[in-house]
Amino acid sequence: MTEKLLEVKDLRVQFPTGDGIVKAVDGVSFSLDAGERLGVVGESGSGKSVTFLALMGLLDRKAANVTGQILFRGQDLLKLRPDEFRRIRGSEIGMVFQDPMSSLHPLYKVGKQIAEAIQAHEDVTAKDAFTRAIDMLDRVGIPRPEDRAKQYPHEFSGGMRQRAMIAMGLCLSPDLLIADEPTTALDVTVQAQILDLIDRMRDEFQTAVIMITHDLGVVAEHTDRVQVMYAGKIVEAGTIDHIYHGAHHPYTWGLMQSISRLDEEQERLKPIKGAPPSLIFVPSGCSFHPRCPYVMDVCKTEVPPLEEEEYGHASACHLTLEEKKRIFASQVEVRT
Ligand code: SF4
């Protein structure tokens, strides 16, 4: 039986503000097996990044009210003290962010930073840690790693910095790598190289990967399962096959229509109308209803639960399964 690496149960993250309570994450539950690749997709403000900041213990505990359970190998991370969390972060959970400069210290040489990350968790000499740092830089495809290790982050290109971040994220062979928009700031060619590198590293280190992105195209190629988030909730979850060949939620359909494909004319892209809602004044019923082309009366008053409709495929929408299938099929016809 596959081992459950991560189980998130009814996670809620709220930020009290002068204007009201921001419900950034509103009852999110999911799990991840060892070695699995999960894509988490949604627009800004969908709660996807906040969910994983909670998981990494990076939310300010004074500003955020976090409830629920985050079980990592059965241990509830929300019950850990900050110093215990720090031990797990880095050694068992690695991270790669959109902006490497937020994680790489500008005043320390890259090799030294990776070596210090190793020494913070393992009893090794500075010399051995530095040798391992050079080896990691080599493995992530940085040329002349001995020389590069002695340079500062600003001497690296954007793509090189992201490679260095991946080296840092994986230097302790964590069981889970969380990559939050890891390629958004990079040009298309470098993006593809970095995503391929994450795939290769995942195979080499047998690391589970959670890829957080606004781009369904990225998850299609680089993950096994997808979770779509909207207004702090998961609105659809399934395998890549489920989502690409039979998505059930109107929001997912909207995301799919807004993906740019190299083989399609740009004018065929249709952005989702309207904007994501305020997380203080979330619309009643289905929070997507003000933007949904298929809205019904019930959608305005009743929150649709996230329900499994077919094996491993769940969505939160009041349309019947037959209606979802019929609408998806008609959209595919229009696209082809
Ligand atoms: Fe649209 Fe209603 Fe489904 Fe929400 S529940 S996505 S408003 S059809």
Side-chain angles (χ1 to χ4, degrees):
M1 208 173 88
T2 329
E3 182 185 0
K4 279 274 172 270
L5 181 66
L6 178 70
E7 278 186 278
V8 174
K9 296 184 180 174
D10 197 27
L11 181 68
R12 290 169 199 269
V13 181
Q14 300 187 342
F15 299 94
T17 71
D19 296 326
I21 294 173
V22 175
K23 293 184 192 137
V25 180
D26 194 18
V28 160
S29 301
F30 65 93
S31 64
L32 185 75
D33 292 334
E36 200 181 9
R37 299 181 306 173
L38 173 70
V40 182
V41 189
E43 296 162 289
S44 308
S46 61
K48 58 190 194 306
S49 292
V50 178
T51 299
F52 295 96
L53 287 174
L55 206 153
M56 293 181 283
L58 291 176
L59 290 174
D60 179 352
R61 292 191 182 194
K62 289 194 198 98
N65 182 9
V66 186
T67 58
Q69 285 185 310
I70 301 177
L71 303 172
F72 183 74
R73 295 208 179 292
Q75 179 179 33
D76 190 354
L77 299 184
L78 292 182
K79 294 212 165 82
L80 296 183
R81 293 193 314 268
D83 59 312
E84 293 172 321
F85 225 134
R86 263 195 301 279
R87 264 202 298 280
I88 287 191
R89 196 167 57 226
S91 64
E92 295 179 52
I93 303 178
M95 298 165 286
V96 178
F97 293 111
Q98 176 180 342
D99 174 14
M101 290 308 269
S102 64
S103 302
L104 292 171
H105 196 297
L107 301 180
Y108 288 95
K109 292 173 182 167
V110 171
K112 187 171 167 57
Q113 295 191 50
I114 299 174
E116 284 187 352
I118 295 170
Q119 279 192 290
H121 294 275
E122 288 183 20
D123 186 18
V124 288
T125 64
K127 188 164 174 281
D128 287 347
F130 194 71
T131 305
R132 271 173 61 185
I134 292 171
D135 176 53
M136 274 310 297
L137 291 174
D138 189 30
R139 285 160 92 163
V140 297
I142 292 190
R144 296 183 294 105
E146 296 86 357
D147 300 332
R148 288 291 191 174
K150 294 176 198 145
Q151 292 182 328
Y152 293 96
H154 74 265
E155 297 177 87
F156 281 45
S157 67
M160 289 284 187
R161 278 201 289 268
Q162 203 52 290
R163 286 175 190 268
M165 265 294 294
I166 293 169
M168 178 103 98
L170 290 173
C171 65
L172 292 155
S173 308
D175 295 322
L176 172 63
L177 181 73
I178 297 177
D180 189 357
E181 302 278 8
T183 60
T184 304
L186 305 172
D187 71 48
V188 178
T189 317
V190 182
Q191 258 187 30
Q193 291 169 355
I194 295 295
L195 292 168
D196 287 344
L197 172 65
I198 293 176
D199 280 352
R200 256 195 303 114
M201 292 289 115
R202 176 252 183 183
D203 292 344
E204 195 173 316
F205 289 87
Q206 295 296 306
T207 307
V209 175
I210 296 178
M211 179 88 70
I212 304 164
T213 174
H214 63 281
D215 188 342
L216 259 180
V218 167
V219 298
E221 305 223 350
H222 299 277
T223 64
D224 309 308
R225 231 167 14 101
V226 191
Q227 203 158 278
V228 181
M229 289 190 69
Y230 188 78
K233 291 183 190 298
I234 297 170
V235 295
E236 181 154 14
T239 61
I240 291 293
D241 208 38
H242 285 139
I243 304 298
Y244 284 87
H245 300 293
H248 286 172
H249 197 282
Y251 178 60
T252 315
W253 299 337
L255 287 178
M256 292 175 93
Q257 284 170 351
S258 65
I259 298 178
S260 68
R261 281 177 40 184
L262 294 176
D263 57 343
E264 286 188 356
E265 303 280 335
Q266 285 298 308
E267 56 264 32
R268 293 183 66 180
L269 301 182
K270 278 203 234 147
I272 303 172
K273 76 169 174 107
S278 147
L279 295 176
I280 297 179
F281 305 106
V282 181
S284 59
C286 169
S287 54
F288 187 56
H289 86 250
R291 303 173 76 186
C292 181
Y294 308 98
V295 60
M296 304 168 282
D297 285 346
V298 63
C299 307
K300 298 175 187 169
T301 53
E302 286 181 32
V303 179
L306 181 68
E307 278 175 347
E308 185 163 324
E309 295 158 307
E310 290 176 324
Y311 183 70
H313 187 185
S315 75
C317 171
H318 290 304
L319 291 169
T320 64
L321 185 55
E322 288 66 34
E323 285 167 329
K324 291 169 185 172
K325 289 188 170 182
R326 182 179 51 73
I327 297 169
F328 182 83
S330 67
Q331 291 182 349
V332 171
E333 256 170 47
V334 170
R335 282 205 294 271
T336 51

Short mmCIF file of all heavy atoms in Angstrom, two decimals, residues 56 58 72 80-95 112-126 129 132 167-176:
data_model
loop_
_atom_site.label_atom_id
_atom_site.label_comp_id
_atom_site.label_asym_id
_atom_site.label_seq_id
_atom_site.Cartn_x
_atom_site.Cartn_y
_atom_site.Cartn_z
N MET A 56 4.11 25.06 5.56
CA MET A 56 5.55 25.22 5.80
C MET A 56 5.82 25.99 7.10
O MET A 56 6.97 26.26 7.41
CB MET A 56 6.19 25.95 4.62
CG MET A 56 6.16 25.12 3.35
SD MET A 56 6.95 25.95 1.96
CE MET A 56 5.71 27.12 1.49
N LEU A 58 5.14 29.06 7.71
CA LEU A 58 5.69 30.38 7.39
C LEU A 58 4.67 31.50 7.59
O LEU A 58 4.93 32.63 7.18
CB LEU A 58 6.22 30.40 5.95
CG LEU A 58 7.47 29.54 5.73
CD1 LEU A 58 7.87 29.53 4.26
CD2 LEU A 58 8.64 30.02 6.59
N PHE A 72 1.86 15.35 8.66
CA PHE A 72 2.99 15.00 7.81
C PHE A 72 3.62 13.75 8.41
O PHE A 72 4.09 13.78 9.54
CB PHE A 72 4.00 16.16 7.77
CG PHE A 72 5.16 15.92 6.85
CD1 PHE A 72 4.99 16.00 5.47
CD2 PHE A 72 6.41 15.60 7.34
CE1 PHE A 72 6.06 15.77 4.61
CE2 PHE A 72 7.48 15.38 6.49
CZ PHE A 72 7.30 15.46 5.11
N LEU A 80 3.33 21.86 16.28
CA LEU A 80 4.77 21.98 16.54
C LEU A 80 5.13 23.39 17.02
O LEU A 80 4.53 24.37 16.61
CB LEU A 80 5.57 21.69 15.27
CG LEU A 80 5.47 20.29 14.67
CD1 LEU A 80 6.40 20.18 13.47
CD2 LEU A 80 5.83 19.23 15.70
N ARG A 81 6.19 23.44 17.85
CA ARG A 81 6.75 24.75 18.21
C ARG A 81 7.53 25.27 17.00
O ARG A 81 7.97 24.48 16.16
CB ARG A 81 7.71 24.59 19.40
CG ARG A 81 7.07 24.19 20.70
CD ARG A 81 8.08 24.40 21.83
NE ARG A 81 9.40 23.86 21.49
CZ ARG A 81 9.82 22.63 21.78
NH1 ARG A 81 9.03 21.79 22.44
NH2 ARG A 81 11.03 22.23 21.44
N PRO A 82 7.75 26.61 16.92
CA PRO A 82 8.48 27.14 15.76
C PRO A 82 9.83 26.47 15.54
O PRO A 82 10.21 26.19 14.39
CB PRO A 82 8.64 28.63 16.10
CG PRO A 82 7.47 28.94 16.99
CD PRO A 82 7.23 27.68 17.79
N ASP A 83 10.58 26.15 16.61
CA ASP A 83 11.91 25.53 16.40
C ASP A 83 11.77 24.11 15.86
O ASP A 83 12.58 23.66 15.04
CB ASP A 83 12.73 25.55 17.70
CG ASP A 83 12.03 24.80 18.82
OD1 ASP A 83 10.82 25.04 19.02
OD2 ASP A 83 12.67 23.96 19.48
N GLU A 84 10.69 23.40 16.27
CA GLU A 84 10.47 22.04 15.75
C GLU A 84 10.09 22.11 14.26
O GLU A 84 10.51 21.29 13.45
CB GLU A 84 9.34 21.36 16.54
CG GLU A 84 9.71 21.07 17.98
CD GLU A 84 8.51 20.57 18.79
OE1 GLU A 84 7.38 21.07 18.60
OE2 GLU A 84 8.71 19.68 19.62
N PHE A 85 9.29 23.13 13.94
CA PHE A 85 8.88 23.33 12.55
C PHE A 85 10.11 23.60 11.68
O PHE A 85 10.25 23.07 10.58
CB PHE A 85 7.92 24.53 12.45
CG PHE A 85 6.73 24.25 11.57
CD1 PHE A 85 5.44 24.60 11.98
CD2 PHE A 85 6.88 23.66 10.33
CE1 PHE A 85 4.35 24.35 11.18
CE2 PHE A 85 5.79 23.40 9.52
CZ PHE A 85 4.53 23.75 9.95
N ARG A 86 11.02 24.42 12.20
CA ARG A 86 12.23 24.77 11.43
C ARG A 86 13.03 23.52 11.09
O ARG A 86 13.63 23.41 10.04
CB ARG A 86 13.10 25.76 12.22
CG ARG A 86 12.88 27.21 11.80
CD ARG A 86 13.97 28.11 12.29
NE ARG A 86 14.11 28.10 13.74
CZ ARG A 86 13.35 28.79 14.57
NH1 ARG A 86 12.38 29.56 14.10
NH2 ARG A 86 13.54 28.74 15.87
N ARG A 87 13.05 22.56 12.02
CA ARG A 87 13.82 21.33 11.79
C ARG A 87 13.24 20.52 10.62
O ARG A 87 13.96 19.97 9.81
CB ARG A 87 13.84 20.46 13.05
CG ARG A 87 15.09 20.69 13.89
CD ARG A 87 15.38 19.51 14.80
NE ARG A 87 14.31 19.29 15.76
CZ ARG A 87 14.16 19.97 16.88
NH1 ARG A 87 15.01 20.93 17.18
NH2 ARG A 87 13.16 19.72 17.71
N ILE A 88 11.90 20.50 10.57
CA ILE A 88 11.25 19.74 9.49
C ILE A 88 11.38 20.47 8.16
O ILE A 88 11.64 19.87 7.12
CB ILE A 88 9.77 19.52 9.85
CG1 ILE A 88 9.71 18.47 10.94
CG2 ILE A 88 8.96 19.10 8.63
CD1 ILE A 88 8.37 17.92 11.25
N ARG A 89 11.24 21.82 8.24
CA ARG A 89 11.35 22.62 7.02
C ARG A 89 12.81 22.57 6.57
O ARG A 89 13.72 22.81 7.34
CB ARG A 89 10.93 24.05 7.36
CG ARG A 89 10.63 24.89 6.17
CD ARG A 89 9.93 26.15 6.57
NE ARG A 89 10.69 26.93 7.54
CZ ARG A 89 10.18 27.46 8.63
NH1 ARG A 89 8.93 27.31 8.94
NH2 ARG A 89 10.94 28.16 9.45
N GLY A 90 13.04 22.25 5.37
CA GLY A 90 14.43 22.16 4.91
C GLY A 90 14.85 20.71 4.86
O GLY A 90 15.23 20.21 3.81
N SER A 91 14.76 20.01 5.99
CA SER A 91 15.25 18.63 5.96
C SER A 91 14.20 17.68 5.40
O SER A 91 14.52 16.78 4.65
CB SER A 91 15.67 18.18 7.36
OG SER A 91 14.56 18.17 8.22
N GLU A 92 12.93 17.89 5.74
CA GLU A 92 11.90 16.96 5.25
C GLU A 92 10.96 17.60 4.24
O GLU A 92 10.33 16.92 3.44
CB GLU A 92 11.11 16.39 6.43
CG GLU A 92 12.01 15.53 7.31
CD GLU A 92 11.28 14.96 8.49
OE1 GLU A 92 10.22 14.36 8.28
OE2 GLU A 92 11.75 15.15 9.62
N ILE A 93 10.83 18.93 4.34
CA ILE A 93 10.02 19.66 3.36
C ILE A 93 10.90 20.76 2.75
O ILE A 93 11.36 21.65 3.46
CB ILE A 93 8.78 20.31 4.02
CG1 ILE A 93 7.92 19.25 4.72
CG2 ILE A 93 7.95 21.05 2.97
CD1 ILE A 93 6.71 19.80 5.45
N GLY A 94 11.17 20.65 1.46
CA GLY A 94 11.96 21.67 0.77
C GLY A 94 11.04 22.64 0.05
O GLY A 94 9.87 22.33 -0.20
N MET A 95 11.57 23.80 -0.28
CA MET A 95 10.73 24.83 -0.89
C MET A 95 11.46 25.51 -2.04
O MET A 95 12.66 25.73 -1.95
CB MET A 95 10.39 25.91 0.13
CG MET A 95 9.62 25.41 1.31
SD MET A 95 9.66 26.61 2.64
CE MET A 95 11.31 26.46 3.23
N LYS A 112 28.03 28.83 0.02
CA LYS A 112 28.04 28.91 1.49
C LYS A 112 26.62 28.78 2.05
O LYS A 112 26.38 28.13 3.06
CB LYS A 112 28.66 30.24 1.90
CG LYS A 112 28.88 30.39 3.39
CD LYS A 112 29.69 31.65 3.66
CE LYS A 112 29.71 32.07 5.12
NZ LYS A 112 30.19 31.08 6.03
N GLN A 113 25.66 29.40 1.33
CA GLN A 113 24.27 29.32 1.80
C GLN A 113 23.75 27.89 1.78
O GLN A 113 23.08 27.43 2.71
CB GLN A 113 23.37 30.20 0.94
CG GLN A 113 23.70 31.66 1.07
CD GLN A 113 22.66 32.56 0.44
OE1 GLN A 113 21.48 32.42 0.70
NE2 GLN A 113 23.11 33.49 -0.37
N ILE A 114 24.07 27.18 0.69
CA ILE A 114 23.61 25.78 0.62
C ILE A 114 24.33 24.95 1.68
O ILE A 114 23.72 24.13 2.38
CB ILE A 114 23.85 25.21 -0.80
CG1 ILE A 114 23.05 26.03 -1.82
CG2 ILE A 114 23.46 23.73 -0.86
CD1 ILE A 114 23.32 25.66 -3.27
N ALA A 115 25.63 25.20 1.84
CA ALA A 115 26.40 24.45 2.85
C ALA A 115 25.84 24.70 4.25
O ALA A 115 25.71 23.77 5.06
CB ALA A 115 27.88 24.87 2.77
N GLU A 116 25.46 25.95 4.53
CA GLU A 116 24.93 26.25 5.86
C GLU A 116 23.57 25.58 6.08
O GLU A 116 23.26 25.15 7.19
CB GLU A 116 24.83 27.77 6.06
CG GLU A 116 26.22 28.34 6.34
CD GLU A 116 26.21 29.81 6.71
OE1 GLU A 116 25.15 30.45 6.63
OE2 GLU A 116 27.29 30.30 7.09
N ALA A 117 22.80 25.49 5.00
CA ALA A 117 21.50 24.80 5.12
C ALA A 117 21.75 23.33 5.48
O ALA A 117 21.04 22.74 6.31
CB ALA A 117 20.72 24.90 3.81
N ILE A 118 22.78 22.74 4.90
CA ILE A 118 23.11 21.33 5.20
C ILE A 118 23.58 21.21 6.66
O ILE A 118 23.12 20.36 7.42
CB ILE A 118 24.19 20.79 4.23
CG1 ILE A 118 23.64 20.77 2.79
CG2 ILE A 118 24.68 19.41 4.66
CD1 ILE A 118 24.68 20.49 1.71
N GLN A 119 24.46 22.14 7.04
CA GLN A 119 25.01 22.07 8.41
C GLN A 119 23.97 22.34 9.49
O GLN A 119 24.10 21.87 10.62
CB GLN A 119 26.15 23.08 8.55
CG GLN A 119 27.45 22.55 7.97
CD GLN A 119 28.61 23.42 8.37
OE1 GLN A 119 28.70 24.55 7.90
NE2 GLN A 119 29.46 22.92 9.25
N ALA A 120 22.92 23.11 9.12
CA ALA A 120 21.87 23.40 10.11
C ALA A 120 21.11 22.13 10.49
O ALA A 120 20.48 22.06 11.55
CB ALA A 120 20.90 24.44 9.55
N HIS A 121 21.16 21.12 9.61
CA HIS A 121 20.37 19.90 9.87
C HIS A 121 21.22 18.65 10.06
O HIS A 121 20.73 17.64 10.52
CB HIS A 121 19.40 19.67 8.71
CG HIS A 121 18.35 20.73 8.60
ND1 HIS A 121 17.19 20.70 9.34
CD2 HIS A 121 18.30 21.87 7.88
CE1 HIS A 121 16.46 21.77 9.06
NE2 HIS A 121 17.11 22.49 8.17
N GLU A 122 22.48 18.71 9.62
CA GLU A 122 23.30 17.50 9.70
C GLU A 122 24.64 17.82 10.35
O GLU A 122 25.17 18.92 10.18
CB GLU A 122 23.55 16.93 8.30
CG GLU A 122 22.31 16.31 7.69
CD GLU A 122 22.59 15.69 6.33
OE1 GLU A 122 23.78 15.43 6.02
OE2 GLU A 122 21.64 15.49 5.59
N ASP A 123 25.19 16.82 11.04
CA ASP A 123 26.45 17.01 11.74
C ASP A 123 27.61 16.74 10.76
O ASP A 123 28.18 15.65 10.76
CB ASP A 123 26.47 16.02 12.93
CG ASP A 123 27.69 16.26 13.79
OD1 ASP A 123 28.29 17.35 13.67
OD2 ASP A 123 28.03 15.36 14.58
N VAL A 124 27.89 17.69 9.92
CA VAL A 124 28.99 17.53 8.95
C VAL A 124 29.92 18.74 9.05
O VAL A 124 29.51 19.81 9.51
CB VAL A 124 28.48 17.42 7.49
CG1 VAL A 124 27.81 16.10 7.23
CG2 VAL A 124 27.54 18.57 7.14
N THR A 125 31.17 18.57 8.61
CA THR A 125 32.11 19.69 8.67
C THR A 125 31.75 20.70 7.59
O THR A 125 31.09 20.37 6.59
CB THR A 125 33.55 19.21 8.42
OG1 THR A 125 33.61 18.70 7.07
CG2 THR A 125 33.97 18.12 9.40
N ALA A 126 32.25 21.93 7.76
CA ALA A 126 31.98 22.98 6.78
C ALA A 126 32.54 22.57 5.42
O ALA A 126 31.92 22.82 4.38
CB ALA A 126 32.61 24.29 7.26
N ALA A 129 30.27 19.98 3.86
CA ALA A 129 29.00 20.59 3.46
C ALA A 129 29.21 21.40 2.17
O ALA A 129 28.37 21.38 1.27
CB ALA A 129 28.47 21.49 4.58
N ARG A 132 29.40 19.14 -0.77
CA ARG A 132 28.06 18.69 -1.16
C ARG A 132 27.29 19.80 -1.88
O ARG A 132 26.52 19.53 -2.80
CB ARG A 132 27.28 18.23 0.07
CG ARG A 132 27.53 16.75 0.33
CD ARG A 132 26.94 16.28 1.61
NE ARG A 132 25.49 16.43 1.70
CZ ARG A 132 24.81 16.15 2.79
NH1 ARG A 132 25.43 15.71 3.87
NH2 ARG A 132 23.51 16.29 2.82
N ALA A 167 18.55 23.54 -5.86
CA ALA A 167 19.66 22.85 -5.18
C ALA A 167 19.51 22.99 -3.67
O ALA A 167 19.66 22.02 -2.91
CB ALA A 167 21.00 23.44 -5.64
N MET A 168 19.16 24.20 -3.24
CA MET A 168 18.97 24.44 -1.79
C MET A 168 17.77 23.64 -1.27
O MET A 168 17.83 23.03 -0.21
CB MET A 168 18.72 25.94 -1.59
CG MET A 168 18.46 26.32 -0.18
SD MET A 168 19.90 27.08 0.51
CE MET A 168 19.46 28.75 0.32
N GLY A 169 16.68 23.64 -2.07
CA GLY A 169 15.46 22.93 -1.64
C GLY A 169 15.67 21.43 -1.53
O GLY A 169 14.99 20.78 -0.74
N LEU A 170 16.60 20.90 -2.33
CA LEU A 170 16.76 19.43 -2.36
C LEU A 170 18.03 18.94 -1.68
O LEU A 170 18.28 17.74 -1.65
CB LEU A 170 16.74 18.95 -3.81
CG LEU A 170 15.38 19.05 -4.52
CD1 LEU A 170 15.53 18.71 -6.00
CD2 LEU A 170 14.35 18.13 -3.89
N CYS A 171 18.84 19.86 -1.14
CA CYS A 171 20.16 19.44 -0.65
C CYS A 171 20.07 18.45 0.51
O CYS A 171 21.03 17.72 0.78
CB CYS A 171 21.03 20.65 -0.29
SG CYS A 171 20.40 21.63 1.07
N LEU A 172 18.95 18.40 1.19
CA LEU A 172 18.82 17.45 2.30
C LEU A 172 17.89 16.29 1.94
O LEU A 172 17.38 15.61 2.83
CB LEU A 172 18.31 18.19 3.54
CG LEU A 172 19.34 19.18 4.10
CD1 LEU A 172 18.68 20.28 4.88
CD2 LEU A 172 20.36 18.45 4.95
N SER A 173 17.66 16.10 0.63
CA SER A 173 16.77 15.03 0.15
C SER A 173 15.45 15.00 0.90
O SER A 173 15.11 13.99 1.53
CB SER A 173 17.44 13.66 0.29
OG SER A 173 18.69 13.67 -0.29
N PRO A 174 14.67 16.08 0.85
CA PRO A 174 13.40 16.08 1.58
C PRO A 174 12.41 15.10 0.96
O PRO A 174 12.55 14.72 -0.21
CB PRO A 174 12.91 17.53 1.40
CG PRO A 174 13.51 17.98 0.12
CD PRO A 174 14.85 17.29 0.03
N ASP A 175 11.39 14.73 1.73
CA ASP A 175 10.34 13.84 1.20
C ASP A 175 9.36 14.62 0.35
O ASP A 175 8.63 14.04 -0.45
CB ASP A 175 9.57 13.19 2.36
CG ASP A 175 10.47 12.28 3.16
OD1 ASP A 175 11.31 11.61 2.52
OD2 ASP A 175 10.35 12.26 4.39
N LEU A 176 9.29 15.94 0.59
CA LEU A 176 8.31 16.77 -0.12
C LEU A 176 8.95 18.07 -0.56
O LEU A 176 9.64 18.72 0.22
CB LEU A 176 7.13 17.07 0.84
CG LEU A 176 6.08 18.08 0.36
CD1 LEU A 176 5.37 17.58 -0.89
CD2 LEU A 176 5.05 18.33 1.46
#
